[in-house]
Amino acid sequence: TRMSSRDSSSKYGSDFAMPRLPDLPPEPNSSPLDLLRVPCKVMAVTVKGNKRTRRELIEAQLAKAVQASTYEELALELDTVNENLQSLDMFKKSVCEIDVAGDGNTQDVCISVEVEEKGTHTLSSGAYMQGGEGNFEFSWTGRNFTGNAERIQGNVSLGHKISNSFRLEASKPVENGSTSRHGISIFQSVLNLTKYSSYTETQRGVSLSREATDGE
């Protein structure tokens, strides 16, 4: 009997594959639910597709999965692994598969994780009106330069009169296995309010942040 899950779309806006379970020999009068409850033990983990991302960062997401004691528990944990990998914003796709170990014992399994990394940078630009002034905006995002899921974002906006702003942000996971991030941001903006008053408004500063996405 083959047990498998269909592909679905993650809440982070990228596609990921649900864990694929191996073929298991059918038991008399057994149902698919009974097969999910078959005991298992993770014997090995393989990681593919991580050209820049450190293997340790991906393996740390599997800490609970490798402790699973049934196929059902393992499938649920690997579903969480997929979501956590997508939330790092470093991968286009992540796929987890479960295969029976080479000795043929259906309780001994191997986990295979394959990822497709996003590019190192993203560029975007646009134009908008604010306070009666036309503005041109340019944004840049750089990611995963050292393989630690770090992200650097820059934004510059220039008005055709007075308004202008810039923001530079950098963040990285708190630790391996976590999807929470800590970061720093430097910013300055000059807002043209002369259409409604006789002054402009200037703001500048530095901020520290911690973005919790995994309940930490």
Side-chain angles (χ1 to χ4, degrees):
T1 301
R2 173 176 293 276
M3 296 183 294
S4 63
S5 299
R6 63 181 178 83
D7 290 352
S8 68
S9 180
S10 81
K11 63 184 178 181
Y12 301 100
S14 299
D15 290 337
F16 68 90
M18 297 285 283
R20 184 186 67 80
L21 301 179
D23 290 330
L24 297 177
E27 297 292 338
N29 303 318
S30 64
S31 68
L33 186 58
D34 293 328
L35 295 176
L36 281 173
R37 292 170 178 164
V38 171
C40 71
K41 181 179 180 180
V42 177
M43 305 300 294
V45 174
T46 61
V47 178
K48 302 176 184 178
N50 54 319
K51 298 178 181 179
R52 296 187 309 276
T53 309
R54 291 172 55 239
R55 178 187 173 97
E56 293 84 357
L57 186 143
I58 297 174
E59 288 182 335
Q61 295 290 346
L62 296 165
K64 292 183 179 180
V66 297
Q67 300 298 322
S69 58
T70 65
Y71 281 98
E72 180 181 28
E73 184 181 349
L74 181 54
L76 291 173
E77 291 295 343
L78 291 181
D79 187 20
T80 300
V81 169
N82 271 324
E83 290 192 11
N84 288 345
L85 289 175
Q86 291 298 317
S87 74
L88 291 174
D89 192 32
M90 300 294 127
F91 308 109
K92 294 179 181 178
K93 283 186 178 181
S94 61
V95 179
C96 296
E97 293 185 348
I98 308 168
D99 292 304
V100 175
D103 58 9
N105 184 348
T106 58
Q107 293 191 19
D108 295 340
V109 299
C110 301
I111 297 175
S112 174
V113 181
E114 185 169 3
V115 297
E116 181 181 352
E117 296 175 326
K118 290 185 177 181
T120 56
H121 62 275
T122 302
L123 302 175
S124 63
S125 62
Y128 62 94
M129 294 289 295
Q130 184 177 39
E133 184 174 358
N135 290 263
F136 176 79
E137 184 177 60
F138 175 80
S139 299
W140 171 82
T141 300
R143 58 176 70 86
N144 214 18
F145 291 115
T146 66
N148 292 297
E150 66 279 353
R151 185 170 61 227
I152 302 174
Q153 296 174 288
N155 179 279
V156 177
S157 177
L158 298 174
H160 77 282
K161 294 181 180 178
I162 301 174
S163 296
N164 65 81
S165 67
F166 80 87
R167 177 179 290 271
L168 181 64
E169 301 176 332
S171 66
K172 68 182 297 292
V174 173
E175 60 184 358
N176 283 348
S178 173
T179 55
S180 295
R181 307 178 73 88
H182 50 206
I184 183 172
S185 174
I186 302 172
F187 62 91
Q188 174 178 295
S189 67
V190 177
L191 184 61
N192 181 12
L193 301 175
T194 55
K195 183 176 180 179
Y196 310 104
S197 60
S198 59
Y199 66 92
T200 61
E201 179 180 277
T202 301
Q203 297 179 335
R204 60 175 62 93
V206 177
S207 65
L208 300 175
S209 63
R210 176 179 170 122
E211 177 187 354
T213 59
D214 55 6
E216 296 182 359

